[in-house]
Amino acid sequence: MRQIAILGAACLCAAMMPEAVAAQSYPSKPIRMIVPWSPGGTSDTIARILGQKMTEQWGQQVVIDTRPGASGIIGTEVAMRASAEG
């Protein structure tokens, strides 16, 4: 439950960035949000709601990528090995 709260708080902070920051050229391509828990759960639902709000605010598509398994380790490894795009 604590991990869900941390994920939700981090995504909420990102979704409520000031308009001055959102007016810059970032993000210039779709954003991939990796959720290391199973689809249909609370964390997946929160990520999808936040992804929709981020898409509306930033004008760039947010793709929710669920990678469940091994108590979140699989999704965490996918995020760790993702390319650093800024």
Side-chain angles (χ1 to χ4, degrees):
M1 195 66 172
R2 182 176 169 200
Q3 293 174 341
I4 294 170
I6 292 171
L7 173 67
C11 291
L12 186 61
C13 290
M16 295 188 168
M17 294 178 74
E19 291 298 321
V21 174
Q24 297 174 358
S25 63
Y26 178 82
S28 60
K29 56 185 173 179
I31 300 163
R32 185 172 96 171
M33 183 185 299
I34 300 170
V35 180
W37 295 285
S38 60
T42 305
S43 58
D44 180 55
T45 304
I46 291 171
R48 291 183 188 280
I49 291 169
L50 290 173
Q52 180 180 2
K53 295 294 181 184
M54 290 167 68
T55 297
E56 293 169 4
Q57 186 173 5
W58 287 349
Q60 192 60 255
Q61 182 181 9
V62 176
V63 178
I64 308 301
D65 185 4
T66 55
R67 298 293 180 112
S71 298
I73 294 174
I74 294 173
T76 304
E77 285 183 353
V78 169
M80 180 181 71
R81 294 190 175 134
S83 62
E85 299 172 343

